[in-house]
Amino acid sequence: MPGLTSAAGVVSFLAEPEPELQVFALKVLNEQIDSLWTELVESIGDVEALYENPSFPDRELAALVVAKVYYNLQEYHESMIFALAAGKLFDLDHEGEFEDTIISKCVDTYIAWSGSAPATNVNQPPPQLTTAFPSTANGASSISAGLASPTTPFSQSTLPSKSLLSRQDSTTSFDPAPQGNGHVTLSGALPTAMASQASVQKQLYAIIDELFERCFAGGSYRQVIGIAVEARKLDVLRRAILRASEDEKSQRKGEDGNPVRGQELIEYVLEICMNVVQERGFRNELLQLVLNLLKDIPSPDYFSIARCIVYLNEHTMASELLVQLVQKGDPKLTAIAYQIAFDLYDNSTQEFLKTVRDELPRVPETPSTPPQPPTSADRTQAEAPEPQESDQLLGELNDSAGVTSSNNGNDQSEKPLSEEAQKAFDSIRTILSGTKTIELDLEFLFRSNRTDTALLNKIRDSLEARNSIFHTAVTLATAFMHAGTTNDKFFRESLEWLGKAVNWSKFTATAALGVIHRGNLGQGQKLLEPYLPKDQIAGTNPSSAYSQGGSLYALGLIYANHETFALDLIRDHFKKATEEVVQHGGALGLGVAGMATGDESIYEDLKSVLYTDSALNGEAVGIAMGLIMLGTGNIKALEDMIQYAHDTQHEKIVRGLALGMALIMYNRQEGADELVNGLLDDPDPILRYGGIQTLALAYCGTGSNKAVRKLLHVAVSDVSDDVRRIAVMSLGFILFRKPSNVPRMVELLSESYNPHVRYGAAMALGISCAGTGLDEAIDLLEPMIKDPTDFVRQGALISLSMIMVQQNEAMNPKVGTIRKTLQKAISDRHEDAMTKFGSAISLGIIDAGGRNCNISLQTQTGNLNMSGIVGMAVFTQYWYWFPLTHFLSLSFTPTAVIGLDQDLEVPSFKFYSATRPSLFDYPPEQEAKQEDAPEKVKTAVLSTTAQAKRRAQKKEKQQRRESMDIDQSPTTPKTANLGDKMDVDESAIKNEEGQDSDKVDGEKKDGEASPEAAKKKLEKEKVGYLLDNMSRVLPAQRKFISFPSDCRYQPVKKPTGGVILLTDTTPSKPKSLLELKAKKTVKPAAAPATLQDRVNQVLGQRGQEQEADSRETGGAAEAAGVLTAIDEDVEGGEEAPVPREFEYYTDEERDGDA
C-alpha cells in the first residue's frame, strides 16, 4: 500500500461499527504510525476504547498502536504499559528505537518495583546513641544500620530499601537532596496506578524473563547480573551464575574441571560488592550468596572465599577454612593456607586476628616459642568478664550469617593432630600475629636502603638548628627518609646538631627513632632503653621529660598495630607517669600500639587521665581513645566523649576528642550519619570540624556521592575557615580509589579566594593521588607553589611529594623539576619558615623508607588499608601539633615482592619483569657538589689614580709623537660617567674570565649532550629483565611481573606484591636461601651520668676510647646522652645556685677596719 499523506480517512474507519473496518484502520496506522501519529493524537481515546472493549477481536493491535502514539508523545510510562498489553505483537527481535526504549523502560520499572519491596528486619536494633544532639525521626534507623556490631566493619542490619547505585540516603537528613521512595534516580520510574495491576506486572516479568533467556543464550551473563544486583534479586543472581556453569559443562561434554566461567562471574560480583554497592546490609547478603556458591564448587577459589570472610568479619569461618586446608595434608593447600593467613593479617583488625588464632587447634607444647609476658587482651580474656554489648552484637552477626556458635578450636583439639599439622598451625599463628610480615618488610627495607645522605646533610645545613620549627623539620625529614630501615646513622653523625633540640623538638626527635626502627620487634625495647622513664634515684639527675614522653611515643610506633608486650609496657609507664609530657607521649604510644583492639581497660585508663582536664595531655588522650576503639562504633565511648567535649573549656581537648570520635566511626558508613548530623549542627566550630572528619573516615574509599555533596556544601557555606579547609581536604579520603576524578572536582576550589580552601584542595590532591604521578593533579599544584600565602605553598609542596613518591624521570618527566623546587625552597633565604618546613618534610616523603616505600591507603588485594588511612588522617593534624606528623609513617607501604617457600623461608630465585630496567629504576641521588672557589673580586681603582694614569699615558704618547715627528691628531680620552662608575683593573682578571668562560662552555656542551645520550640509552635498552627475590617492584610494575615456566618456584596466586607463597616444583633438590641481614644485635649504651658528661659528648671532647665504643653502638644509644639531657629552661627543673650578694664598703668603714 502506498504511503498516506493524511490519516483522516483511515481514522474515520475507527468510528465505524464493523470490527473489520476498525482492524483494517489499525493495521494501516500501525504500519505508518511514524508519519501519521500527529493526526491520530486527537482520536487516541477511540483507540483506547477499542483496547478496553472485551469483545473487540484485535485488542492487542489497538494496544500496540496506542503505545506507539504515546512513545512519540514521549509519554514512556503509558507507552510501556500498552506495549506490554500488546502481548506477542510487541516483538523483542525487531530492532528499532521504539523497541529499545520500551525494553529499557521495562528494565527500569522492574528494578524500581523490586527495590521498593519492604525490607525485613532480622536483627533488633541496638541501643540508640544518647547524646546532647537533638534527636531526629530518622536517627534510629541510621544508627541501627551502622552500630549493629562494634567489632565488624560491615553491619548485618537490614538497611532501608533504596536504589543500589543512587548514592542517596532516603532515611536520614544527611543528604539535602529531595528524598523519595523507590528508585530515586529514576524520576517517575513507577507509573500510574494502572501499572500496578497484576496483569501488567505479570507481563513485565514475562518480558524480563525472556530478556534474561536471550542473554543466557548469547553468553551475556554479566548483563543479567547487573540487572539482578540493581533489582536486589538474589535468586536471579544465583540463577545466572549457576546457568553459566551449566552451560560451560554442557559445552565441555562431560569433561572434568571447575567451571571457569562461573568463577569469573563470582569475581565480577565481588568487584561489584567492593566498588559499587554502598549499603552494608545488601553487600553482606551478596557476599553470603557468593560464599555459598563457592562452597558448592569442588575446587573453589579459596582466596575469593577469604575475601568474603574478611568483609563479613566471620572469624569462625576463617579458622574453619584454615583448618580444612591444613588437615588435607596437601603441601600446596598448606601453602594456600599460609597465603590466606598473610592476606588476613593485611586486611583485618587485631581483634579479629586474635580470635582466629584462639580458634585454631592448640598445640600442647611449643618449646620453640619463647614465653612472652601476657598481653592486656590475654588478661582481659582470662578474667572472663560479663558479656559486653559487643559480644551480643557479634553473636547476632554470626546468627544472621548462619554460623554456629561452637568453638572450632575446642572441637578440633579433641582430634589427634599430626606433627606436620601442628607445625603448620604454629606457623599460621605466627603469620596472624604479624611477626612474619613485619620481619620480612624490615629485611627488605634494610637491605634495599637507598637514602640520599647528601641531600639530608644539605637540608640540615640549610636550616638553622636553633630555630625550633627548622630543627623539627629536619628531624621529620630524617625519620621519613629512614622509615623502617633501622639506619639511625644520621643521629650518630650529627650530635652537635641534635644537642640543639629543646623541649618539644627533643620530644619529636626521640619519637623519630620509632619511625626509623618501626617493625624492629626484637630490638625495639633495647634501643629505647636509655630514653624510657626510670624510677628516680636519690643523688642522680633525672632525664628530660620530653625525651621520656617521646620514647613512649617511639615505642608505640615501633610496635604499631601489633599487640605485644610493648603495649603493657607503655601502659605501665603511662599509669605511673606524673609529668604531662610523659602522659602525652604515653597516650600516643598506647593508641598506636593498641590500634583497633577495643580494649575496655586501656580505654578506662585513658579516660581517667582525660578527666584531669589537662589541655596538654588531653588532646593526645582523646586521639588515643579513638585509636583503641577504632572502627568499633562503641556507643558508650561516643557518649562519654561527646559529653566531655561539651563540658571542657580547653580547645585542645575538644579537638582531640573530635578526632577520636571520627576514628571510632571509621568505615561505619550509614551508621555514622546521626553522629555526623549532630556534630555538624553544633555551634562549636571544633566539633563541626570533627563532624567532617567523622564523615571522611566513615565513608573513606567509598566514592559516595552523598558524602561528596555534603563536603562540597560545607566547603562553601561554613563560617569557619578550619571547617572549610577540612571539608575540602576530606574529598581525598572519599575518592582515593578514583584519583582521576579528584583534580576535576577541586579545580575551582584550588582557585578560591580563601587560602584555607586552596590549602584543602592541595592536600586533597595529595591524599587521593598519592604515588600515582597523575599529570592532572600536578598541573593544578604547580601554580600553587607560587601562591602568595605561605601555608598554601606548604600544602602544595607536601602534596607534590606525595604524588611523586617513587617516581623517576622515565615515569614522569616533571619529577626532576619538582625535586629542584623543593631543594630551592629550603636554601632560599627569603622564603617563609612555614614553606621551608613543608619543603623539608616533602623531601623526606618523596624518598620515604630509603626510596622503597609508597603511600597507599589500600592494601595489595584492594581492601582498605586501615593503618594507612588512620595514619594519613592523624597526619593532617600537624597543622595544630607537629609531633603528630610521625603518623604519616603508618601509610608507608614497602613496594616489594617477597617470595616464601612452604617452610616460610626466603629462597633465592629470579622472576621476570617485561619492562625496560630504567622505567621503574630508582631516581638518581643528589650529587655531592664541591665547594666552588671564592670568586675573585675585581680590584677597585680610585678616580685620582685613574686620572694620574691617563695624564701619564697622554704625556707618553705626546713624547712618542714628538720623537717620531709624525703629525697625529690627539686622542681624547673617554671620560663619560667617570663619577658614576668605578674603574677596575681589567687586566688582572682577563685570563681568569677566559678560563671561566671555557669551563662554562664545556659544562653547557656536556649538559646538552646528556639528554640525548639518555634518550639513546633508553632506546637501546632491552625489554625484559630478571629480578631477584625480595626486589623492589612498584605498583605500576606488578602487571608486568611473571614467573617463568622453567622457574623452580611458582606462586600459589597471581602476584600482587608483598608476601607471596611459592610451591617448590622440585622439593628433593637442595635449595638456596637468602641471608637475612636485618637481625643484628644492637648494644645499648647507657646515658652519661652527669650533665657535664653530656655536654662533653655533644662537643666532641671525649677520648678516642669512648669514641670507638660509641661507634660500635647504634645511633639511638649514642644520641641518648644528648636527648635525655635536661633543658635549662624546663619548667620545674633544677635552677643554678644564686650568686652571693655583693658587699659595699664606705670610706669610713674601710678606715675603721684599718
Side-chain angles (χ1 to χ4, degrees), residues 304-317:
S304 298
I305 295 178
R307 290 185 65 186
C308 295
I309 289 174
V310 169
Y311 277 100
L312 290 172
N313 201 58
E314 298 289 353
H315 53 82
T316 303
M317 298 179 67

Side-chain angles (χ1 to χ4, degrees), residues 535-828:
D535 296 334
Q536 185 175 354
I537 303 175
T540 60
N541 293 325
S543 60
S544 172
Y546 293 96
S547 62
Q548 293 178 7
S551 65
L552 295 178
Y553 186 14
L555 195 61
L557 290 171
I558 291 176
Y559 297 90
N561 198 22
H562 184 68
E563 187 181 7
T564 57
F565 70 94
L567 186 61
D568 289 331
L569 179 62
I570 300 173
R571 183 181 178 185
D572 184 58
H573 285 300
F574 175 75
K575 294 169 67 175
K576 292 180 180 178
T578 56
E579 294 280 348
E580 291 183 344
V581 178
V582 180
Q583 290 178 339
H584 182 94
L588 292 177
L590 270 178
V592 177
M595 187 186 303
T597 57
D599 194 314
E600 292 284 350
S601 58
I602 298 179
Y603 171 80
E604 292 297 330
D605 293 340
L606 292 169
K607 188 170 68 172
S608 62
V609 176
L610 175 69
Y611 286 166
T612 61
D613 203 40
S614 171
L616 183 59
N617 55 28
E619 182 178 17
V621 168
I623 297 174
M625 293 166 68
L627 290 171
I628 294 295
M629 294 294 175
L630 178 65
T632 62
N634 191 290
I635 298 176
K636 182 178 179 300
L638 288 173
E639 292 176 351
D640 294 341
M641 298 170 75
I642 292 171
Q643 183 63 38
Y644 196 78
H646 285 95
D647 294 342
T648 185
Q649 301 296 321
H650 297 291
E651 291 186 358
K652 288 178 70 66
I653 296 180
V654 178
R655 184 174 294 112
L657 290 173
L659 179 56
M661 287 185 285
L663 293 170
I664 292 177
M665 282 300 182
Y666 165 76
N667 203 23
R668 305 304 297 183
Q669 298 185 20
E670 294 89 354
D673 288 353
E674 183 183 3
L675 179 62
V676 170
N677 291 330
L679 292 174
L680 291 182
D681 292 338
D682 198 281
D684 189 352
I686 301 179
L687 288 180
R688 296 201 304 274
Y689 187 99
I692 296 298
Q693 289 178 310
T694 305
L695 177 62
L697 291 180
Y699 288 89
C700 59
T702 62
S704 173
N705 280 350
K706 73 171 186 179
V708 171
R709 282 198 302 270
K710 189 65 176 179
L711 292 175
L712 292 176
H713 173 72
V714 174
V716 298
S717 62
D718 200 278
V719 295
S720 172
D721 287 336
D722 290 342
V723 179
R724 299 178 68 177
R725 182 181 67 250
I726 192 64
V728 181
M729 191 188 307
S730 298
L731 292 172
F733 288 98
I734 304 294
L735 300 170
F736 69 81
R737 282 182 168 170
K738 301 176 181 178
S740 59
N741 295 342
V742 180
R744 184 175 66 255
M745 185 169 295
V746 302
E747 182 177 2
L748 294 178
L749 295 173
S750 65
E751 301 175 357
S752 172
Y753 72 93
N754 191 326
H756 292 268
V757 175
R758 298 198 300 271
Y759 173 87
M763 291 300 293
L765 291 170
I767 294 170
S768 60
C769 305
T772 62
L774 194 64
D775 292 333
E776 293 80 358
I778 297 172
D779 293 339
L780 287 179
L781 289 171
E782 282 181 332
M784 302 177 74
I785 298 176
K786 301 178 182 179
D787 194 275
T789 308
D790 52 358
F791 61 80
V792 178
R793 297 196 298 272
Q794 180 192 79
L797 293 174
I798 294 176
S799 297
L800 280 173
S801 66
M802 289 179 169
I803 297 173
M804 286 299 188
V805 63
Q806 287 196 322
Q807 299 284 317
N808 57 18
E809 294 281 353
M811 299 172 66
N812 195 313
K814 293 184 179 180
V815 65
T817 305
I818 292 174
R819 285 180 176 272
K820 292 179 181 179
T821 302
L822 295 174
Q823 297 177 26
K824 181 181 178 182
I826 289 180
S827 58
D828 189 358

Side-chain angles (χ1 to χ4, degrees), residues 1056-1075:
T1056 57
V1059 180
I1060 299 177
L1061 263 295
L1062 308 170
T1063 56
D1064 191 352
T1065 57
T1066 56
S1068 58
K1069 294 183 179 180
K1071 57 184 178 181
S1072 175
L1073 301 178
L1074 292 180
E1075 180 185 359

